[in-house]
Amino acid sequence: MQGQIALPVSVSPEQIARKKSLGSAIELCAELAGYELDKTLQQELGVDKGQFSRWLSGQEGIQWAKFSSLMDACGNDAPLLWMLHQRG
């Protein structure tokens, strides 16, 4: 599926508002697409388990290209919507 955009998945404002961190918004993004944060999504994004874990914990930033690929693979913009929500 690499390079392909998944079918759109809706994300409600309430789902976004309940998330307390970018990492949890990334988890929501994956969950809405049916991923369980396993190797499948990591392989599709071309990242290893350690790097993916650091994104979720906030220990490492995520480059725009990878961030965009994550949202494309999952078919939703939950992390981006979370950022907008945090900005008010």
Side-chain angles (χ1 to χ4, degrees):
M1 183 170 154
Q2 186 148 353
Q4 294 182 0
I5 297 175
L7 293 175
V9 177
S10 64
V11 183
S12 73
E14 294 80 19
Q15 289 173 300
I16 297 298
R18 284 193 296 265
K19 300 304 172 184
K20 303 296 181 201
S21 68
L22 178 58
S24 61
I26 291 171
E27 289 175 350
L28 174 64
C29 181
E31 290 168 8
L32 291 172
Y35 291 106
E36 296 182 11
L37 300 179
D38 59 6
K39 291 180 185 179
T40 307
L41 180 56
Q42 295 164 15
Q43 289 173 342
E44 287 185 24
L45 297 174
V47 299
D48 62 34
K49 182 179 179 178
Q51 183 176 36
F52 198 79
S53 177
R54 290 188 299 273
W55 291 349
L56 296 177
S57 69
Q59 294 177 344
E60 180 179 312
I62 180 172
Q63 293 180 350
W64 176 252
K66 295 284 186 180
F67 196 60
S68 185
S69 293
L70 166 73
M71 293 183 291
D72 287 347
C74 293
N76 69 79
D77 296 328
L80 185 59
L81 294 171
W82 179 85
M83 288 180 180
L84 292 171
H85 175 76
Q86 291 299 304
R87 295 290 301 156

